[in-house]
Each structure stands twice: as C-alpha cells, then as structure tokens.
Amino acid sequence: TWMAAMILATCGWGLWWLGLATHSFLPSLFPGLLPIYIVTGTLASVGLFLAVFTIRARTIWVLLAGVPILANLSLLLLPAVVGPEILEAIKK
C-alpha cells in the first residue's frame, strides 16, 4: 500500500506541473486553480491515509512509509506553503 500512496503523490504532483505548463503554454485550456486543488487534494488525502495505514511495528516500515507520507503531506500543504502572491500571479 505504500507504493500505491507514492503513485497517488506522483500523480498529484504531475497534475500540478501539467496545470502550470498549461497555464504557461496553452492558457486557453487552463482549468483554473480550484479544480487542480480539488483533484490533487483528493489524491493526496487518499495517499496520505494509505501511507499512514502502511506503518507497522518495525523500523523499516516507518522508513518505507516516510517518503509517501512526506510526498502526500507536501502536496496537501502546497496551497499553504505557496504564498498568495504566487497564487495571484498564476490566476492572471
């Protein structure tokens, strides 16, 4: 399940990069930030749940689950980490 959590994080980050590339190169096709937030937040929430659910009593499981936990958590926290100035620049 930790692998599925990492796949979900990778898909979420890929969608963010695809959205930013679309905004830069094909602005008429850019869906806006809200749909990107909704889809990537859903992927990250499920991925974070799976990653935390993966942890067992042994140290190796904590190490294995640590990467998808951080990847999904960073995806969930992206809107809070990225400043409002950057988000306003993307909206334009």
Side-chain angles (χ1 to χ4, degrees), residues 2 5 11 18-19 28 30 32 35 41 43 46 49 52 68 73-74 90-91:
W2 65 271
C11 289
L18 182 65
S28 62
F30 181 63
L43 290 172
V46 173
F49 173 77
V52 170
L73 196 58
S74 67
I90 292 172
K91 288 180 184 179

Side-chain angles (χ1 to χ4, degrees), residues 19-56:
L20 291 175
T22 303
H23 180 267
S24 295
F25 301 115
L26 300 168
S28 62
L29 296 177
F30 181 63
L33 291 176
L34 185 61
I36 294 173
Y37 283 149
I38 291 170
V39 172
T40 59
T42 304
L43 290 172
S45 298
V46 173
L48 185 61
F49 173 77
L50 289 174
V52 170
F53 183 69
T54 300
I55 297 177
R56 308 272 195 285

Side-chain angles (χ1 to χ4, degrees), residues 13 16 37 40 72-83 87:
W13 279 108
W16 261 108
Y37 283 149
T40 59
N72 284 298
L73 196 58
S74 67
L75 186 57
L76 276 175
L77 294 176
L78 181 69
V81 173
V82 173
L87 293 177

Side-chain angles (χ1 to χ4, degrees), residues 6-18:
M6 197 63 224
I7 290 170
L8 290 171
T10 303
C11 289
W13 279 108
L15 286 173
W16 261 108
W17 283 107
L18 182 65

